[in-house]
Amino acid sequence: MKRRDLIKHLEVNGCEFLREGGNHTIYVNRMVQKVSAIPRHREINEFLVRKICRDLEIPQP
């Protein structure tokens, strides 16, 4: 999955940008107080996409 598509999916599901880390962008779901790091690769594999969605407690794309 392309990184920009994942970011769009996160934002549509109520997550928001928190801060930039060293090699990651940190997103937070304030409704459930969960945080996850999104790597700055163009492509993110499906296993990692599922893990990020589980961490943030949102549906998978």
Side-chain angles (χ1 to χ4, degrees):
M1 171 176 247
K2 296 214 182 282
R3 183 176 190 273
R4 67 176 179 257
D5 295 335
L6 175 59
I7 297 293
K8 185 175 181 178
H9 175 73
L10 297 178
E11 291 175 349
V12 164
N13 284 284
C15 299
E16 55 190 55
F17 170 81
L18 182 63
R19 66 184 171 85
E20 292 288 336
N23 293 319
H24 295 78
T25 303
I26 311 300
Y27 268 77
V28 62
N29 183 347
R30 296 194 192 276
M31 299 283 285
V32 293
Q33 299 296 308
K34 300 289 182 173
V35 177
S36 189
I38 291 77
R40 289 201 198 112
H41 305 291
R42 285 190 183 162
E43 290 287 330
I44 301 173
N45 77 37
E46 294 302 316
F47 295 111
L48 185 54
V49 169
R50 282 186 286 200
K51 183 197 179 303
I52 291 167
C53 291
R54 267 196 320 267
D55 288 350
L56 293 170
E57 295 184 12
I58 62 171
Q60 298 175 15

